Amino acid sequence: MGIAEQREDVEEAGYEEYEEYEEAEDEGALDDAAEADRDGIAADEDVGEPSTSYPEPPDRAFRAPDLFGEAALFEAALWLAAHFPNIEVTGVQSNPHLVTPGDVYVHHEGLTDEDQVAAVSVALEQGAVLVVAPHLPKDSTGLHVGEDPLEGVVPDEVPLVRVKDSTEAGSRLAAAFY
């Protein structure tokens, strides 16, 4: 398919002649550039298109209580300041498979196929330094009063912050961090 371009060399009154031309398309160049960009590899040639991936996260770190304070999660910030004042956070992640060492992992039900215990286990194996998860529903079947399924999964040196709405908490943490 071509696009029409008006010819300037035709000067007859009331007559405009258009010449069709084909746009040169480099088959797969955009796909290759996008793939290279996602993989963090420079493309072989500049295709003139903007990046299709997100920018690299900033190179910064927060103390966990400060990050939660910036995110207006004050109860958690005070608790963290009292019990875990020196935890350094270098990112916020909601996909347990993409957690890097130093990240806060925010669990969202249904984001991955894993249940809460499996997702938190993966995040901890990947290096999460803090876990944010939603409060358990009052009618959690199979649990005794006061029992938490993450007890024994999350080590004592890693804080577990339970919140009413993990989507809101994750959004606030990401906005404060990034």
Side-chain angles (χ1 to χ4, degrees), residues 10-170:
V10 178
E11 296 182 15
E12 293 181 29
Y15 177 70
E16 295 178 11
E17 186 175 327
Y18 290 90
E19 179 179 319
E20 285 205 15
Y21 68 94
E22 293 291 321
E23 286 188 37
E25 293 184 24
D26 185 7
E27 295 292 325
L30 291 178
D31 293 336
D32 293 344
E35 185 176 319
D37 192 40
R38 276 192 304 273
D39 294 339
I41 303 168
D44 291 340
E45 58 187 53
D46 181 19
V47 294
E49 292 293 324
S51 173
T52 58
S53 65
Y54 291 107
E56 285 295 315
D59 188 20
R60 66 175 76 158
F62 280 90
R63 286 182 334 118
D66 296 338
L67 176 61
F68 277 73
E70 287 288 323
L73 299 168
F74 299 120
E75 276 187 45
L78 291 172
W79 181 78
L80 287 167
H83 296 91
F84 299 94
N86 296 319
I87 289 185
E88 187 175 282
V89 174
T90 57
V92 178
Q93 185 56 256
S94 58
N95 184 331
H97 301 282
L98 299 178
V99 168
T100 58
D103 283 355
V104 170
Y105 170 63
V106 182
H107 179 74
H108 300 292
E109 283 297 325
L111 185 66
T112 62
D113 293 336
E114 293 120 345
D115 66 358
Q116 189 177 70
V117 172
V120 168
S121 296
V122 169
L124 291 169
E125 288 172 11
Q126 298 281 88
V129 294
L130 195 149
V131 175
V132 177
H135 285 294
L136 298 173
K138 291 184 179 185
D139 61 346
S140 294
T141 57
L143 295 176
H144 300 293
V145 176
E147 187 178 356
D148 190 331
L150 295 178
E151 190 175 311
V153 174
V154 179
D156 292 339
E157 64 273 6
V158 176
L160 170 62
V161 177
R162 290 284 189 179
V163 293
K164 180 179 179 182
D165 183 356
S166 64
T167 302
E168 180 183 349

